[in-house]
Amino acid sequence: MPLSCREPERHVRVKQRSSVLNMLRRLDKIRFRGHKRDDFLDLAESPNASDTECSDEIPLKVPRTSPRDSEELRDPAGPGTLIMATGVQDFNRTEFDRLNEIKGHLEIALLEKHFLQEELRKLREETNAEMLRQELDRERQRRMELEQKVQEVLKARTEEQTAQQPPKGQAQASNGAERRSQGLSSRLQKWFYERFGEYVEDFRFQPEENTVETEEPLSARRLTENMRRLKRGAKPVTNFVKNLSALSDWYSVYTSAIAFTVYMNAVWHGWAIPLFLFLAILRLSLNYLIARGWRIQWSIVPEVSEPMEPPKEDLTVSEKFQLVLDVAQKAQNLFGKMADILEKIKNLFMWVQPEITQKLYVALWAAFLASCFFPYRLVGLTVGLYAGIKFFLIDFIFKRCPRLRAKYDTPYIIWRSLPTDPQLKERSSAAVSRRLQTTSSRSYVPSAPAGLGKEEDAGRFHSTKKGNFHEIFNLTENERPLAVCENGWRCCLINRDRKMPTDYIRNGVLYVTENYLCFESSKSGSSKRNKVIKLVDITDIQKYKVLSVLPGSGMGIAVSTPSTQKPLVFGAMVHRDEAFETILSQYIKITSAAASGGDS
């Protein structure tokens, strides 16, 4: 009887113990999910903890063993054995330790709750969850309103369809007719699209695509390659022009005679256009044979093969700079020629020179009236005969006799006399300067001496920006700049005998007279800064390169005189070659005249 009563109590205690172990496992999960216990503050410092949560003096009910339990735990062999007493005490102690451990886990869980709340609050402040929630509510309301409107529209449509729906018999008949018509129309559309759909798509308008071409960076290799490509591409055109000029110049007498006879015969019989078409077909046939590997050379002027330099892989800085200068010079000359041609044509049609445009105007009226009153066969015959005689005979005579060409070749005279825009500007500036010169001569010099000619009178009053020429350089009145350097050449004088920087380099203008080489300083001051050199006193003159690092032959002229230890250098001259040729020719002229005078 006592044994049967003890067994259920032991079963209850085992259940309590298993529940405690489950609680410990859950608390371990909570514990290891957060931070370590050492990282948290003391529970008493937590602001959200209550007094009961923070105090360690939590009343705990220590399980006490009743006398009945002690009797149950006694050994049946003898009452109150020491082994059973120590077992009861160990059990009570383990229960107390477990309760303390549970208490610690609860403290950790409360701290984790506190810190998680702080993190949640920070996240809400950072993400503005309230604003997002409000926007979400607004969107939901809008969605509901739109759904209601859509439902209303669908209801209205269904009501209209039910009101307009005909009876079933009529509806079936109409549906059958519609299906037949739709089937026939779909077949027709399909057949039409299969036959002509591709052509219809070609005529469909599409928006233009604005493609921006990417510009390549500047490269010396690319620059030389493009120049060679341009030269190769223009070679057929230049060869064609050379052959035409050779025909006109009678370079090969037999070829020019045959061409003249064939052309005049074709024009007389009205076969000029078929002749040109046949020549084009013949040229294409020859090109086809050449492309197939045949060696055919059909040219009046023998072609000269120019040696092709292999492109250099690595260029130095000076070579690249010189290459850019050469290409820029070629481009400048080419663009200048094209601009001259276009400007002359524009000025011809814009009545810039009325006497020239008047001739073109009369010629156009004559051609118009001739085309109206004469038959086209006669007009074509006249134009063809005139073109043949002009190309083969008249141009040959004019090229051999330039004076006749300058007097009687009307197209050549008109083309040469047509001005370009820079020439018009020079003429206008020259006219303004003449007016100013005449007014100044009238105001300062009322009457010129009777013995002076026009040239001496003009030289008498030639002036620079600072005054009269002869007064600035303390020369005689008959000394004036040559026509080539009437406005002078801008340059800088480098006097290497001087050590002061202000005297070492001077900017100014260089003039050449009949007997002197004059340099006018650009700085305002006395005439001591100006330099006058007699051409007779010059011992040596040569081209000079101031900076040897830069490519090219330089932009300076070195002049040696007995009065200077080192040559005077006129540097930074854009027109250095022109100035050098002028100074050298005038120097040779003066020295030869002085030598001939001394011999006599």
Side-chain angles (χ1 to χ4, degrees), residues 61-118:
K61 293 182 179 180
V62 181
R64 296 179 181 178
T65 56
S66 61
R68 186 178 179 180
D69 295 333
S70 60
E71 289 178 357
E72 291 175 354
L73 292 172
R74 287 178 185 176
D75 191 12
T81 60
L82 292 174
I83 296 171
M84 292 299 294
T86 55
V88 171
Q89 289 180 1
D90 293 337
F91 178 78
N92 294 332
R93 287 176 185 173
T94 52
E95 290 293 333
F96 183 74
D97 294 337
R98 287 172 185 169
L99 289 174
N100 288 332
E101 189 176 357
I102 290 169
K103 177 184 174 183
H105 288 314
L106 288 173
E107 291 175 2
I108 293 170
L110 291 172
L111 286 173
E112 288 178 354
K113 178 183 177 183
H114 169 66
F115 284 108
L116 289 174
Q117 287 177 353
E118 289 292 329

Side-chain angles (χ1 to χ4, degrees), residues 254-322:
Y254 299 104
T255 306
S256 298
I258 293 170
F260 177 70
T261 306
V262 171
Y263 174 78
M264 297 300 288
N265 190 15
V267 171
W268 183 260
H269 291 90
W271 295 343
I273 295 176
L275 174 65
F276 290 121
L277 294 175
F278 175 75
L279 290 175
I281 294 169
L282 180 61
R283 182 73 251 185
L284 285 175
S285 302
L286 291 175
N287 291 339
Y288 174 77
L289 295 176
I290 292 170
R292 289 294 180 182
W294 291 50
R295 292 183 179 180
I296 300 173
Q297 292 183 357
W298 184 49
S299 178
I300 301 172
V301 181
E303 297 182 0
V304 179
S305 60
E306 298 179 356
M308 295 292 293
E309 296 181 358
K312 295 183 179 180
E313 295 295 332
D314 296 329
L315 297 175
T316 61
V317 178
S318 60
E319 289 176 348
K320 289 181 180 179
F321 188 74
Q322 186 65 37

Side-chain angles (χ1 to χ4, degrees), residues 438-499:
T438 52
T439 54
S440 62
S441 62
R442 288 174 184 173
S443 60
Y444 292 105
V445 183
S447 61
L452 295 176
K454 292 183 179 180
E455 294 181 356
E456 294 177 355
D457 193 11
R460 181 185 181 89
F461 301 109
H462 182 83
S463 61
T464 61
K465 294 181 179 179
K466 298 181 181 179
N468 294 329
F469 185 82
H470 65 279
E471 293 177 356
I472 291 173
F473 296 103
N474 296 325
L475 301 174
T476 58
E477 294 182 357
N478 59 354
E479 289 290 339
R480 60 188 179 90
L482 299 178
V484 180
C485 60
E486 188 176 359
N487 296 324
W489 297 294
R490 296 197 62 84
C491 63
C492 64
L493 174 60
I494 303 173
N495 190 353
R496 293 185 290 178
D497 292 339
R498 303 293 181 89
K499 295 183 179 180

